[in-house]
């Protein structure tokens, strides 16, 4: 059903928002108190991966087309 698809999309968006918010908070804490550039780079890569996976739909590139 269409409502189920909408609900799943909203749920995915909310989960993504929470993940990005938590990573941003961790990133801020590391930047202020530790200054560990390697950890900041790793977190930036994680955030980029979350965005690419959820909003750019990269996984569709490897799926077969259905007609």
């Amino acid at each position: 059903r269409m409502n189920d698809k909408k609900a799943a999309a909203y749920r995915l968006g909310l989960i993504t928002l929470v993940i990005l918010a938590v990573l941003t908070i961790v990133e801020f804490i590391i930047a202020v108190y530790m200054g560990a550039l390697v950890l900041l780079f790793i977190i930036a890569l994680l955030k980029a991966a979350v965005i690419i996976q959820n909003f750019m739909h990269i996984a569709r590139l490897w799926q077969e087309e259905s007609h």
Side-chain angles (χ1 to χ4, degrees):
R1 287 184 10 212
M2 188 57 149
N3 288 337
D4 293 338
K5 286 184 180 184
K6 255 188 182 176
Y10 283 125
R11 190 169 38 254
L12 178 63
L14 186 59
I15 290 169
T16 302
L17 175 69
V18 170
I19 290 170
L20 291 174
V22 168
L23 286 173
T24 300
I25 291 167
V26 171
E27 190 175 38
F28 176 78
I29 291 169
I30 290 172
V32 170
Y33 295 109
M34 295 173 60
L37 291 178
V38 173
L39 287 177
L40 292 174
F41 185 72
I42 291 169
I43 292 173
L45 289 176
L46 287 172
K47 288 168 67 173
V50 168
I51 291 168
I52 288 169
Q53 180 66 31
N54 292 321
F55 294 120
M56 297 181 74
H57 309 291
I58 295 297
R60 288 186 190 172
L61 293 176
W62 292 278
Q63 292 178 352
E64 289 189 32
E65 290 186 29
S66 60
H67 296 282

